[in-house]
Amino acid sequence: MGQDKALLDWRGATALDRLAALSRDVGIRMVLTAGADHGLPAVLDAEPGGGPCGGILAAALRLRAEGYDRALVLAVDAPTVTASDIRPLLDSRAPGAAYEGLPLPMVIDLAAIPADTEAHWPLKRLAQAAALAVLPCSDEARPRLRGANTPDERRRLLSAAPD
């Protein structure tokens, strides 16, 4: 995208603000950002450049220290995800769930993260190692959940998203 995806405008709110509001709407009490401080509680990657798994590992340490045992992990490039997309993940039993063919969003019990998880792991490997349930994903929801990595994908998501 050529700029920080968290700060991109999505109909009057940044991607980060939209995801933080959605998280609170579905009952998440602590919203963290990983990798950068954008004004919310933040954790930095333990291994710079470790990627999304590194962010999850850093967030898991902070969440455990705060007394939490489960995490909802959202992708900043998918700010058009809806509460109805997230609820099946939140309703999943231990150790959590993700959608078929999509690494994020996911819900994961922090205790299910294997001790030998490495920051550079692909999220698919983490989901498999944690034995997350794989939920079916509708064709209608898939673009929202996959998100936007290019300006064209962003335009398509914006045009398809409800006002």
Side-chain angles (χ1 to χ4, degrees), residues 81 91 114:
V81 65
D91 292 342

Side-chain angles (χ1 to χ4, degrees), residues 31-88:
V31 177
L32 291 175
T33 61
D37 182 350
H38 291 298
L40 292 169
V43 294
L44 299 179
D45 296 345
E47 184 179 313
C53 195
I56 291 171
L57 291 173
L61 287 174
R62 170 80 180 269
L63 290 169
R64 282 187 191 114
E66 299 278 344
Y68 295 95
D69 58 5
R70 201 165 212 229
L72 167 64
V73 184
L74 301 172
V76 74
D77 58 2
T80 57
V81 65
T82 66
S84 62
D85 296 328
I86 299 303
R87 284 201 180 90

Side-chain angles (χ1 to χ4, degrees), residues 3-4 8 28 33 35 37 40 44-46 49 64 91-92 102-103 134 138 141 147 152 158 161:
Q3 58 186 307
D4 188 340
L8 287 174
I28 302 300
T33 61
D37 182 350
L40 292 169
L44 299 179
D45 296 345
R64 282 187 191 114
D91 292 342
S92 68
L102 297 167
V134 178
S138 73
D152 283 343
L158 279 167

